Amino acid sequence: MSEVTQFHNLSHIFISLLGAVLLLAIYYNIRKRFFSVLEDGNGIKRVDKGLLYFSFGMLVWVFSGSWGLIANYFNFQDTLSYQIGINILSTINNLFWLLALHYVHDAPKFIYRNEKNVKIISIIIIIAASLTLLLSFIIGTNIYYGIKLVGIPDFLLTTFLCYLMGVSFYRTFMHRDLKLVAVISIIAIFLLFISQFSDVFTVLNNDFFNQLIRIITKTSLVSVFLVLATSWVIQLANTPKPNEMKIKFLDWSLVELTIPSKGIIAEKIDFGSKTTQYKNLLNFAYKRKFNEVNKQSIVVSYGGEIKSQTYLTRIIDNINVILQLSDENKLERKDLITFIGESKYRLRILPEHIFVDEALLEEYKKLVIK
């Protein structure tokens, strides 16, 4: 085993293990400290496991590095057995990170909380992995015109995953005003993409250069994941707890809102001519207060009760404008409205903290409820 390869494998194992342990520690500490915010006061379990799956993906890296260390030590790194082991571990890693992106709010919409699409993509990953194993048995590690055909399916899957991670991380960090980290995350993911080339194109088989890129990539991604975890803590700390918020519907277009952590104490909000936004908010409140747990949400999509997410954002934007909240106290959509999954959204305020004037309630039933 060359010293470069030995150094890479040992560094690979140590960096990945350290990153995985730190992420797991942060995740369980967050779960303990912010349990009420994560559970969201709802009977439906919607625990955010994104950070957990990222740590599992890094643990797979640990096994991958250990497998490489063993293969080099016993000198079977060029055998079919070694290739199959690497392919299986790569598939598991891709699946874990895909599941992690399922929980990232700024991930592409066809993945975020979309169980159907995630299942479809997971099946595609498994099929591609099966194809890789089949190619391994048929053509082994043979090289054709400088291309290792057996590595192409995994290369394509990793490329797709890099795209998803790049979009998700860039949006997340830009949204949280961490512009430098957003740029660094793009660079780290681009290096992850570049590091896959040597597994397919033999002309790029420069051992020192390839191992150096992999070490830089893994170190950078561990750092990005830790910043992501830290920003999640800050986000949760600034998210109002469901049991502190209260809303009263006093008349058409007029509500009274209380969110102490945002400096909002019994503030009157007159939506005026913004009747659509007021009706949508009242509809959310009615379903949350009077319906069963599994019927408290509203479908927001082209064919749903609310046609676009823009209408949700406008509710929050108008509240911020009317109350003239400072930048640190401005409400975000997730503060009042939570995404459950499959295009369904629900008001975060607890049913017992929602009050509707009796006359208004009767009028609402006649005009809105069909």
Side-chain angles (χ1 to χ4, degrees):
M1 176 177 11
S2 69
E3 292 183 354
V4 172
T5 303
Q6 183 181 22
F7 173 78
H8 168 264
N9 287 329
L10 290 173
S11 301
H12 175 117
I13 294 170
F14 177 76
I15 293 171
S16 302
L17 181 61
L18 181 62
V21 171
L22 288 175
L23 289 179
L24 284 172
I26 293 173
Y27 173 78
Y28 282 108
N29 188 267
I30 290 174
R31 289 284 301 135
K32 180 179 179 180
R33 290 177 178 271
F34 298 99
F35 179 80
S36 61
V37 176
L38 291 171
E39 293 297 341
D40 209 26
N42 186 25
I44 302 174
K45 295 292 183 181
R46 48 179 306 277
V47 179
D48 194 322
K49 296 180 181 178
L51 202 61
L52 186 64
Y53 285 126
F54 277 129
S55 64
F56 286 168
M58 300 200 74
L59 285 176
V60 173
W61 274 358
V62 175
F63 289 111
S64 177
S66 301
W67 180 243
L69 188 68
I70 294 171
N72 280 277
Y73 184 82
F74 291 103
N75 198 29
F76 64 90
Q77 66 272 22
D78 296 321
T79 65
L80 181 60
S81 299
Y82 172 74
Q83 187 66 48
I84 291 175
I86 289 296
N87 291 336
I88 292 174
L89 290 171
S90 179
T91 300
I92 296 173
N93 176 264
N94 287 336
L95 285 173
F96 275 137
W97 282 5
L98 174 65
L99 291 172
L101 293 176
H102 173 65
Y103 293 92
V104 177
H105 182 272
D106 293 297
K109 294 303 179 184
F110 67 90
I111 285 184
Y112 175 61
R113 297 284 183 182
N114 193 319
E115 295 181 3
K116 180 181 178 181
N117 285 347
V118 168
K119 288 178 180 177
I120 292 173
I121 297 175
S122 298
I123 291 173
I124 292 174
I125 290 176
I126 294 173
I127 292 174
S130 301
L131 178 61
T132 300
L133 292 176
L134 182 62
L135 288 174
S136 299
F137 287 111
I138 295 175
I139 63 176
T141 56
N142 293 335
I143 298 171
Y144 299 89
Y145 302 102
I147 299 177
K148 190 182 295 184
L149 295 180
V150 72
I152 291 179
D154 186 66
F155 173 78
L156 294 176
L157 284 175
T158 303
T159 300
F160 178 59
L161 184 65
C162 286
Y163 160 74
L164 295 178
M165 290 177 63
V167 171
S168 303
F169 286 174
Y170 182 80
R171 288 178 179 176
T172 297
F173 291 125
M174 290 297 289
H175 180 74
R176 297 178 185 179
D177 201 25
L178 294 168
K179 297 180 177 62
L180 180 59
V181 182
V183 174
I184 292 174
S185 67
I186 291 296
I187 294 174
I189 292 168
F190 178 73
L191 289 176
L192 177 63
F193 168 67
I194 292 296
S195 67
Q196 307 301 311
F197 275 76
S198 61
D199 294 332
V200 178
F201 304 101
T202 57
V203 69
L204 301 175
N205 194 21
N206 183 311
D207 194 40
F208 176 80
F209 180 74
N210 293 332
Q211 307 294 27
L212 178 62
I213 287 182
R214 286 190 171 97
I215 289 297
I216 294 174
T217 299
K218 289 176 175 60
T219 305
S220 301
L221 283 176
V222 168
S223 302
V224 169
F225 289 157
L226 291 175
V227 175
L228 181 67
T230 303
S231 65
W232 189 32
V233 173
I234 296 173
Q235 181 189 47
L236 290 174
N238 291 328
T239 300
K241 295 180 180 179
N243 59 8
E244 72 167 303
M245 298 187 290
K246 295 181 181 179
I247 189 169
K248 296 181 180 180
F249 291 83
L250 307 175
D251 201 348
W252 279 108
S253 298
L254 184 63
V255 301
E256 181 183 286
L257 185 64
T258 296
I259 309 178
S261 62
K262 294 289 185 177
I264 303 173
I265 308 294
E267 295 281 357
K268 300 271 193 318
I269 303 169
D270 188 350
F271 281 85
S273 61
K274 310 293 184 180
T275 54
T276 299
Q277 290 149 37
Y278 174 82
K279 287 180 180 178
N280 287 336
L281 182 59
L282 181 55
N283 198 15
F284 270 113
Y286 179 86
K287 290 180 180 294
R288 176 64 162 150
K289 184 172 181 65
F290 297 105
N291 287 2
E292 299 175 2
V293 171
N294 59 350
K295 296 181 180 179
Q296 292 179 355
S297 60
I298 292 179
V299 176
V300 181
S301 65
Y302 181 72
E305 295 179 61
I306 298 178
K307 304 303 180 183
S308 171
Q309 295 186 32
T310 303
Y311 292 105
L312 304 186
T313 303
R314 287 176 181 171
I315 294 173
I316 308 304
D317 289 344
N318 275 302
I319 293 175
N320 287 330
V321 171
I322 294 170
L323 295 182
Q324 297 182 345
L325 298 174
S326 60
D327 289 340
E328 59 270 18
N329 284 337
K330 278 187 177 179
L331 295 173
E332 296 184 21
R333 195 172 73 181
K334 61 180 176 55
D335 293 333
L336 286 181
I337 302 171
T338 189
F339 179 59
I340 297 177
E342 302 299 327
S343 300
K344 295 179 181 179
Y345 291 80
R346 178 186 53 71
L347 198 66
R348 290 188 66 235
I349 302 174
L350 298 179
E352 58 267 29
H353 291 169
I354 299 172
F355 306 92
V356 184
D357 177 79
E358 291 185 7
L360 175 62
L361 182 60
E362 291 301 318
E363 189 175 354
Y364 168 81
K365 290 179 179 180
K366 294 178 182 178
L367 295 178
V368 180
I369 298 179
K370 299 178 181 179

